[in-house]
Amino acid sequence: MSNTETKTAMTRDANWIAVEDYRFPGGWTDSATGGGNSADKEARARALCRELEAGKILFFPKLPYEFPSDEREFLLSREWNELRLHKNVSYRPGDDVMRGFSGDHGTGTHLHHIVRNYSAHVVKFLRDFLRPYAGKWKLDFASFRPFEEEGRDLSLHKRNDLLHVDAFRLRPTRGGRILRVFTNLHATKPRVWYAIGDFGYVAEKYAADAGVSRFAAKNSALRRSVSRWAAGLGLARLSRTPYDRFMLRFHDYLKENDDFQRNSPKVRLEFPPGATWMVFTDGVAHAAMSGQFAMEQTLLIPPEALVAPESAPYRILEGIAAARLC
Ligand SMILES: [Fe+2]
């Protein structure tokens, strides 16, 4: 591929930051915090939140949270062909519901137990590691992704191997951000991504053509109050802001756009076995090219919890449209 640089886990580069001062067990090391007092931890966490919001990927070569080895081995011990009707297994921590599994009861119960534990352990880690967001986020779904990404037979808009930014049809963020934490569980194979960390570049180049001004033009004081009222009542569709509607369109537009897919200055990233990484996937365009057996937890960070709101996609798009989107 042209215009593509290759980066591996061993390099520090402009796209990811290897976090070397936080581990499991133990958390922040003294070198991170100059002795470990909580104000220093807060400052270090805040600096990393700022990097994340600006489009960096935070990378941990080893698991930064608890994941019992027998549970990992169980996930890797089979091909999960009974799940092939679904894109992934999803887990909703809020109501403890697992979806996308259609095998035997015993296996389903065990899998449910594992994804529940996984989700709880990741959240416990994030409460410490991303403390500026703790208590302010909306805990979203977790997923188990057992299938090889290379060569998956999915419809164009569902394909993971085309560069895109994330947007959720039934979980509008209303200007908030989509944070995702991934772990490559595979024993030997890396998970390979292409990524573009600079949302400003992608938006400057493509948002006008994708119709951002049209979406902004549908914003009015009346629509904004209806959307706020619907959000208060939990009516997802009606609570969508023009920003949410545009991001759904932008997700599809980018996947459909051959010029963007071929010619954008993307970076190739290899996440080795056992690695964990976190990224705001509404801002960092990404494509999963290959890899099998990943876990993922999503959190929605509301606008008021952001430490660098000027980096938020809604703010960048509002600048381009010269109008409000939220
Ligand atoms: Fe995605």
Side-chain angles (χ1 to χ4, degrees):
M1 290 239 183
S2 60
N3 298 322
T4 302
E5 300 168 67
T6 299
K7 303 289 181 193
T8 70
M10 297 303 120
T11 60
R12 277 168 169 275
D13 60 62
N15 291 86
W16 81 25
I17 296 170
V19 178
E20 283 153 4
D21 50 5
Y22 190 98
R23 5 197 119 105
F24 177 82
W28 293 108
T29 62
D30 283 356
S31 67
T33 60
N37 76 56
S38 73
D40 290 339
K41 288 179 189 171
E42 180 76 29
R44 173 72 176 140
R46 211 173 163 78
L48 288 173
C49 288
R50 183 169 290 279
E51 298 278 15
L52 272 174
E53 290 178 35
K56 295 288 199 316
I57 296 172
L58 299 189
F59 168 81
F60 302 79
K62 294 203 179 110
L63 275 168
Y65 60 91
E66 185 177 354
F67 203 141
S69 55
D70 59 324
E71 297 187 357
R72 268 186 284 161
E73 280 156 23
F74 178 76
L75 296 177
L76 298 174
S77 67
R78 39 164 74 222
E79 289 297 319
W80 301 98
N81 286 319
E82 67 270 44
L83 310 184
R84 290 218 171 256
L85 287 176
H86 308 275
K87 195 172 169 186
N88 304 306
V89 170
S90 70
Y91 173 70
R92 305 172 179 219
D95 43 15
D96 190 29
V97 168
M98 181 175 81
R99 295 246 160 88
F101 178 79
S102 44
D104 71 87
H105 181 72
T107 306
T109 305
H110 195 42
L111 183 59
H112 192 155
H113 165 81
I114 291 172
V115 294
R116 179 194 297 122
N117 259 354
Y118 157 76
S119 175
H121 288 144
V122 171
V123 169
K124 187 174 172 207
F125 150 60
L126 293 175
R127 260 193 225 116
D128 186 33
F129 181 69
L130 296 182
R131 48 185 71 201
Y133 302 147
K136 300 174 187 165
W137 60 49
K138 187 161 181 236
L139 188 56
D140 197 68
F141 297 178
S143 62
F144 170 48
R145 303 169 176 222
F147 305 127
E148 171 57 55
E149 293 294 348
E150 191 171 2
R152 285 184 79 172
D153 183 20
L154 294 167
S155 62
L156 185 122
H157 291 159
K158 286 197 171 158
R159 277 176 60 178
N160 294 331
D161 61 342
L162 293 171
L163 283 160
H164 64 283
V165 288
D166 286 343
F168 299 140
R169 218 153 276 283
L170 293 174
R171 285 118 70 213
T173 68
R174 302 171 47 77
R177 305 210 52 188
I178 299 172
L179 179 69
R180 303 190 108 166
V181 182
F182 297 88
T183 295
N184 178 11
L185 287 184
H186 201 286
T188 56
K189 270 171 62 168
R191 195 164 184 90
V192 177
W193 274 24
Y194 285 132
I196 306 171
D198 186 354
F199 185 80
Y201 162 83
V202 177
E204 286 288 346
K205 192 143 188 222
Y206 296 104
D209 190 49
V212 69
S213 295
R214 234 179 334 110
F215 287 83
K218 290 185 184 145
N219 209 353
S220 68
L222 177 62
R223 275 178 187 252
R224 280 200 292 277
S225 43
V226 169
S227 148
R228 266 198 304 275
W229 166 79
L233 292 178
L235 304 171
R237 251 173 228 277
L238 206 55
S239 73
R240 280 181 199 152
T241 62
Y243 167 72
D244 293 301
R245 293 175 197 278
F246 174 74
M247 289 300 277
L248 287 169
R249 173 66 202 129
F250 207 33
H251 167 275
D252 291 354
Y253 169 94
L254 292 174
K255 285 189 176 175
E256 290 160 9
N257 189 311
D258 210 39
D259 171 61
F260 173 65
Q261 295 298 327
R262 281 173 190 273
N263 301 320
S264 53
K266 53 196 172 288
V267 170
R268 186 175 185 275
L269 300 168
E270 281 191 17
F271 301 105
T276 292
W277 61 104
M278 61 180 73
V279 52
F280 278 107
T281 55
D282 52 359
V284 175
H286 56 285
M289 307 310 293
S290 66
Q292 190 182 2
F293 294 117
M295 301 298 291
E296 173 270 335
Q297 172 71 57
T298 302
L299 297 104
L300 305 179
I301 312 298
E304 59 275 14
L306 297 173
V307 307
E310 69 283 359
S311 301
Y314 88 90
R315 291 277 285 270
I316 291 169
L317 293 166
E318 285 183 343
I320 291 168
R324 281 183 70 170
L325 285 162
C326 285

